Amino acid sequence: MYKLYWAPNTGAFAPDAVLTLSAAPFERQRVDYDGKEQEGEAYRRINPMGQIPVLLLPDGQAMTESAAMVLHLIERFPEANLAPVPGSAARADFDRWLVFLAVNVYGAILRFYYAARFTTDPNGADGVRQAAERDLQKQFAILETALDRSPFLTGEAFGAADIYLMMLADWYRPARELPRVGRLCAALAEEPRIAELRKLYELG
Ligand SMILES: N[C@@H](CCC(=O)N[C@@H](CS)C(=O)NCC(=O)O)C(=O)O
């Protein structure tokens, strides 16, 4: 059985949604984020970065990086249809957007919320935050343009990259004011299992 280390309002939401929609056998292990459990020695043994999420595979192997978890799970549970067929042009697009979201957008969100960590200048946090916000506006504008061809990132039906996008737009709310990003998020929020999970993760 899989085990997902999670906490509300963290990137565990994306792999959790893929596990849930795939009807995969898994259990959740809540991390005491406010109590900084993720900074403790025991947690760092499973994730030296001290970050949430961590996915334990059925054999006990620990996996970090939310996008890598999503890629692993869509391969493991292809019947859930949360990504196009491997090797197809549509899959290349899916991989592109998932990595764009995980690297660029998630990265800018971390700089936005944890600005002081990204500078050695004691007065530098405001500048980091402003630059992060500028990056977020640019990145979400790119996503808005990409959505002019179809309602979801890789077509007519939603997939795991769309779920990842919704999670990030839940954290950076101005993104939801973009018409196509906003429509994508609203459509996903109507899916009953996703709606339940958003409550669990205190999103929205
Ligand atoms: N690249 C990592 C980022 C994970 C991450 O930054 N998680 C945040 C919560 S959303 C965290 O655990 N932050 C705690 C900290 O950095 O102290 C991933 O995608 O899994």
Side-chain angles (χ1 to χ4, degrees), residues 8-166:
N9 261 310
T10 66
F13 178 83
D16 197 325
V18 176
L19 284 159
T20 300
L21 295 174
S22 303
F26 80 106
E27 60 178 325
R28 295 188 185 96
Q29 170 81 37
R30 186 168 175 160
V31 180
D32 179 8
Y33 189 87
D34 294 336
K36 299 196 187 304
E37 185 185 345
Q38 70 278 7
E39 292 177 15
E41 205 181 308
Y43 191 82
R44 277 183 191 267
R45 269 199 293 275
I46 50 172
N47 185 355
M49 292 291 283
Q51 293 175 331
I52 302 160
V54 168
L55 181 67
L56 289 195
L57 306 190
D59 71 357
Q61 180 183 324
M63 184 173 196
T64 65
E65 298 304 328
S66 55
M69 294 171 206
V70 167
L71 288 169
H72 168 75
L73 292 168
I74 58 179
E75 261 173 38
R76 177 68 189 74
F77 301 104
E79 60 283 359
N81 277 324
L82 291 172
V85 178
S88 63
R91 179 56 174 266
D93 226 18
F94 172 93
D95 291 347
R96 170 195 178 191
W97 290 123
L98 185 66
V99 173
F100 180 87
L101 292 165
V103 174
N104 296 326
V105 186
Y106 204 150
I109 284 182
L110 291 177
R111 292 199 303 281
F112 183 74
Y113 286 109
Y114 300 101
R117 288 188 185 177
F118 292 89
T119 174
T120 51
D121 176 354
N123 301 313
D126 281 351
V128 171
R129 196 171 296 110
Q130 281 162 26
E133 179 140 45
R134 184 199 56 203
D135 289 349
L136 284 166
Q137 283 166 3
K138 182 173 155 191
Q139 291 156 1
F140 276 108
I142 290 169
L143 291 159
E144 178 74 3
T145 303
L147 288 167
D148 68 357
R149 289 173 294 142
S150 57
F152 298 104
L153 282 171
T154 40
E156 297 304 312
F158 78 81
D162 302 292
I163 293 168
Y164 208 103
L165 169 55
M166 183 189 68

Side-chain angles (χ1 to χ4, degrees), residues 156-188:
E156 297 304 312
F158 78 81
D162 302 292
I163 293 168
Y164 208 103
L165 169 55
M166 183 189 68
M167 173 180 83
L168 297 170
D170 270 331
W171 293 339
Y172 183 67
R173 300 293 293 184
R176 287 181 157 243
E177 278 150 37
L178 297 167
R180 297 181 197 114
V181 171
R183 269 199 295 278
L184 178 151
C185 294
L188 277 182

